[in-house]
Amino acid sequence: MLGTGILKGMVETAKNFAGSYHDPERLTTVEYPEQRIASKENARQFPFLVHDTEDPMQGLRCVACQICEKECPPQCIYIVKSKDKRADYKGQMQLYPVTFDIDLSVCMSCQICVEVCPFEAIKMDTEFELSNTDRFGGLLVNKHQLAKSNEHYRKIHPTEAAVSDDALAIEVAKAKAKAKADVEAKAKAAADAKAKAEAAAAAAPVGVAATAPVPKPSAPAAAPAAAPAA
Amino acid sequence: MDGTQFMTFHDLAYDAGKTDFQRKAEVIGVGREGELLEVAMGPQHPSTHGVFRMDVVLDGETVVKLKPVFGYLHRNHEKIAENTSYLGSMPYTDRLDYFCSLTNNWAYALAVEKLAGLQVPERAEYIRLITAELTRVLNHTCLAGFLLQDMGALGTPLMYAFREREKILDLFESLTGARMMCNYMRFGGCRCDLPAGWLAEARKVVAEYPKFLDEFDALLSGNEILMARTQGVGKLSAELAINAGITGPMLRASGVDYDLRKVDNYGIYSRYPFRVPLGDHGDVYDRYMIRMLEMRESLKILEPALKDIPEGPVVDPKAKLRGFRPKPGEAYGRIETPKGELGFYLISDGSPNPYRYRVRPPSLINLTILEDMCLGQTVADAVITLGSVDIVLGEVDR
């Protein structure tokens, strides 16, 4: 009969309409600014720079290697390297970014900067309310606004942060082991040199020893002083 | 209408040397100026699915000439890709057909994998199949909603469709981090493994989806108004479809059995049996029904695939993220996206950037025969014919 299809459709609409009053499954929207849906753990919106210490600028993991600047598809990152170096989280002397700007209006949230960063220094934030009243300055986000703590990262991406923390812990352990090995090696070298010099001094005739090995003791003397610094 | 010749797609090509004025004079003919009306539909017309213009010449309400004008959304995608690294083009492929970013990713990754000789691990193949089929379901759901919107069923079907689309988008967000611009596939696998609990959620969505399809079918497929509006409208013959290089559901609605999932057997499609629905008449109704049926077939693939997915790595260990330079050579990777055959043709000269990067967009090629489908029909039918082609302007204009 003509019209049955239409009536069948109307029944579906009526079911949905009636259902929306008592069946929570039928209510699919939320009243946004008041109600919010928690963001997904993997969600990515805009990058931030991770720092480890109290002072954000001192503890930035970024070493201004500029890989992200090069790899960024829309070229929205701008970095200026520092002239001097400072110790990073594992005590190695590294450069740091004097300027680190990301243009919010150009960034397309693709996460490639995060993937290519070898230092776990840049990560994606889940914050999405990024509108601004200042069209130019407000959308150019500088390193002071970008810096966020590692605790924040752990809070928004717990699974990822655990992996990242493990990787860094391994790096730190490696650096410590290497430093320790260096200290031991230097001390050993110093001891060897000292023993050699003493042996030489003892073996050689007194008159000759006074002239020849004079420069030698200076090297072992310098080594113990240098070891604690390394 | 006597004496007015219907112009076809092929005639337009011969027309190329003439000025607009000459062409118009030819179509209108001497002494008919007052009877024909030229209308520019778009580029900001709500029924053109984006910034797309149809220059239509009307005799009363009948279309006697239609010229699709596109390029308003041109972003220089191919040239940009030739100036960025291979990896850097991946997020740009999301923006081609922004409903189906995961299938775009897959087609591009496939081309680069052929070029660089990378192997995709088993688990990654499963993830690709699952996400691609979810994308197909998502795209066809949206299309059904939009098509009904074009026909004047304002609101209800589109809202029902978007309600379901949201569930799949939630899955994509928890997997890839973004709802639409997924940027998930990598050369030789996928970017990250599935998060905990994702498979269970996906199984739930897939298990509940047939309920929605039944509801949608009850709502619309038997509707007399829908049938009256769509049956016999925008007919496309199988011969013309093949000659014009049409692919995807449009080709199959004309009765041509051609599905790259069967023809190419890329990925792991050969492991799952599924049927390829074929149309009989090649009209708008067939194109609508083909998509409804394809969704059910996709769900048939998804259900076992979500059970079979093995453990293991998701990316080829040989694949390099930084400093990726494939050997000189060329490759063409193509897959069956929800809209048709999407292909990427790449030439490498051994540098970090492709020497040539070319996209074969299904939307653009399916759009080229719009005039042949619309001639002799009313303006309102031209609108739904365009709707049934299923274009996304991001892909048409690139």
Side-chain angles (χ1 to χ4, degrees):
Chain A
M1 197 188 80
L2 196 67
T4 2
I6 297 173
L7 285 176
K8 249 170 86 185
M10 297 284 220
V11 171
E12 281 304 318
T13 334
K15 262 193 230 162
N16 271 279
F17 176 68
S20 69
Y21 280 95
H22 58 81
D23 187 359
E25 278 280 297
R26 299 278 180 194
L27 294 170
T28 48
T29 51
V30 294
E31 311 258 327
Y32 158 60
E34 290 85 24
Q35 293 176 330
R36 279 150 192 276
I37 300 172
S39 65
K40 301 272 188 301
E41 200 192 314
N42 270 346
R44 57 183 148 95
Q45 298 295 340
F46 191 66
F48 67 94
L49 295 174
V50 189
H51 68 80
D52 291 310
T53 51
E54 284 287 305
D55 178 14
M57 286 308 106
Q58 285 303 311
L60 282 186
R61 286 178 190 169
C62 177
V63 299
C65 68
Q66 294 182 312
I67 289 175
C68 54
E69 191 185 21
K70 239 176 268 154
E71 293 281 339
C72 175
Q75 302 280 303
C76 69
I77 303 178
Y78 175 70
I79 301 173
V80 175
K81 280 184 188 184
S82 63
K83 295 266 186 307
D84 56 327
K85 289 188 174 186
R86 68 175 185 210
D88 68 352
Y89 64 95
K90 53 183 180 185
Q92 207 175 343
M93 297 309 278
Q94 295 277 20
L95 298 173
Y96 59 92
V98 176
T99 310
F100 195 115
D101 292 342
I102 302 182
D103 194 337
L104 176 54
S105 55
V106 176
C107 175
M108 60 179 182
S109 312
C110 65
Q111 209 180 8
I112 282 183
C113 52
V114 177
E115 281 169 64
V116 297
C117 181
F119 300 97
E120 310 277 343
I122 188 165
K123 296 288 170 194
M124 292 309 265
D125 206 344
T126 51
E127 172 68 48
F128 58 90
E129 287 151 322
L130 298 163
S131 55
N132 203 299
T133 49
D134 182 2
R135 191 192 228 193
F136 301 106
L139 292 177
L140 193 68
V141 188
N142 62 27
K143 68 170 180 174
H144 297 277
Q145 292 157 294
L146 285 170
K148 279 170 193 169
S149 69
N150 198 22
E151 275 67 50
H152 174 74
Y153 179 44
R154 280 187 200 131
K155 208 172 83 193
I156 57 173
H157 301 303
T159 322
E160 254 181 65
V163 176
S164 147
D165 283 350
D166 287 349
L168 286 180
I170 291 169
E171 286 291 309
V172 169
K174 258 191 215 162
K176 266 189 186 158
K178 194 164 173 267
K180 206 176 158 197
D182 280 356
V183 170
E184 276 170 6
K186 274 193 181 150
K188 201 174 169 230
D192 281 358
K194 208 175 166 190
K196 218 183 236 175
E198 275 169 6
V206 179
V208 185
T211 53
V214 164
K216 262 193 178 175
S218 71
Chain B
M1 287 297 296
D2 52 321
T4 309
Q5 269 192 323
F6 282 179
M7 305 226 357
T8 60
F9 162 68
H10 308 284
D11 297 336
L12 263 184
Y14 293 121
D15 254 12
K18 295 176 185 166
T19 64
D20 264 6
F21 180 78
Q22 282 171 326
R23 247 179 261 152
K24 207 182 293 174
E26 246 170 52
V27 173
I28 292 174
V30 182
R32 286 182 63 93
E33 287 89 347
E35 293 172 43
L36 296 182
L37 180 68
E38 195 177 351
V39 181
M41 288 179 72
Q44 289 170 347
H45 192 278
S47 73
T48 55
H49 296 245
V51 277
F52 170 65
R53 183 154 64 96
M54 293 192 281
D55 278 348
V56 201
V57 179
L58 300 174
D59 180 6
E61 222 185 318
T62 315
V63 177
V64 292
K65 190 181 175 211
L66 187 148
K67 187 176 146 205
V69 183
F70 32 74
Y72 291 97
L73 203 61
H74 182 60
R75 313 178 296 288
N76 221 346
H77 174 68
E78 290 175 6
K79 210 69 198 168
I80 288 174
E82 283 162 22
N83 289 295
T84 44
S85 63
Y86 283 88
L87 176 64
S89 306
M90 187 60 92
Y92 285 118
T93 62
D94 292 340
R95 276 109 181 132
L96 282 175
D97 173 0
Y98 39 77
F99 278 107
C100 322
S101 56
L102 283 160
T103 46
N104 299 347
N105 285 179
W106 192 0
Y108 178 53
L110 203 67
V112 177
E113 278 152 15
K114 273 190 188 172
L115 198 61
L118 295 170
Q119 292 299 317
V120 183
E122 189 77 358
R123 186 173 172 85
E125 285 283 18
Y126 271 88
I127 297 176
R128 285 179 175 195
L129 174 105
I130 289 165
T131 52
E133 288 310 308
L134 280 173
T135 307
R136 193 178 314 277
V137 173
L138 169 114
N139 179 72
H140 289 353
T141 309
C142 290
L143 175 97
F146 285 132
L147 184 59
L148 269 294
Q149 174 105 345
D150 286 342
M151 284 178 214
L154 294 174
T156 312
L158 185 65
M159 288 301 139
Y160 285 18
F162 267 48
R163 184 187 66 203
E164 300 305 312
R165 169 187 188 243
E166 208 60 24
K167 292 175 186 165
I168 298 180
L169 285 184
D170 279 350
L171 285 179
F172 286 173
E173 192 185 1
S174 61
L175 172 60
T176 70
R179 286 152 47 83
M180 290 172 79
M181 302 299 141
C182 296
N183 182 20
Y184 179 63
M185 312 274 175
R186 288 289 174 267
F187 314 133
C190 301
R191 193 183 73 218
C192 55
D193 205 351
L194 303 173
W198 192 87
L199 280 174
E201 273 176 58
R203 276 184 207 121
K204 195 167 150 255
V205 170
V206 169
E208 281 175 2
Y209 220 86
K211 213 175 99 194
F212 160 70
L213 292 181
D214 293 342
E215 184 190 26
F216 210 76
D217 268 342
L219 182 68
L220 290 163
S221 298
N223 190 310
E224 285 83 359
I225 302 174
L226 177 88
M227 290 188 198
R229 270 310 296 283
T230 54
Q231 286 178 349
V233 170
K235 275 197 175 180
L236 173 64
S237 68
E239 198 189 355
L240 181 58
I242 293 168
N243 285 343
I246 307 301
T247 47
M250 261 187 82
L251 178 67
R252 295 194 284 275
S254 297
V256 184
D257 187 2
Y258 183 77
D259 188 325
L260 284 182
R261 290 178 289 173
K262 294 273 191 201
V263 176
D264 266 19
N265 266 330
Y266 62 92
I268 49 167
Y269 276 107
S270 52
R271 293 184 201 172
Y272 295 103
F274 64 97
R275 290 182 306 163
V276 180
L278 292 180
D280 211 6
H281 309 95
D283 55 4
V284 176
Y285 188 75
D286 275 13
R287 277 174 228 142
Y288 164 78
M289 281 313 288
I290 288 277
R291 277 156 180 137
M292 297 304 284
L293 294 172
E294 268 191 15
M295 276 193 266
R296 292 189 193 267
E297 294 303 318
S298 289
L299 295 175
K300 263 188 218 165
I301 302 175
L302 277 167
E303 225 164 295
L306 281 165
K307 282 198 191 87
D308 297 350
I309 180 165
E311 291 295 320
V314 291
V315 76
D316 186 348
K318 273 192 294 178
K320 278 201 293 183
L321 205 57
R322 291 193 298 267
F324 178 73
R325 287 159 181 263
K327 288 191 293 289
E330 57 178 42
Y332 181 65
R334 58 177 190 174
I335 69 164
E336 179 82 23
T337 69
K339 294 186 168 61
E341 173 190 335
L342 174 67
F344 283 86
Y345 176 61
L346 298 169
I347 301 179
S348 164
D349 57 356
S351 67
N353 312 340
Y355 175 77
R356 181 78 177 95
Y357 173 104
R358 162 90 182 128
V359 188
R360 186 239 186 251
S363 291
L364 171 68
I365 291 164
N366 291 358
L367 191 60
T368 49
I369 49 156
L370 186 64
E371 185 180 31
D372 297 69
M373 293 193 288
C374 292
L375 287 183
Q377 308 199 340
T378 59
V379 192
D381 288 345
V383 168
I384 60 168
T385 308
L386 174 69
S388 72
V389 175
D390 192 10
I391 54 162
V392 161
L393 267 295
E395 192 175 68
V396 173
D397 296 340
R398 304 192 304 294

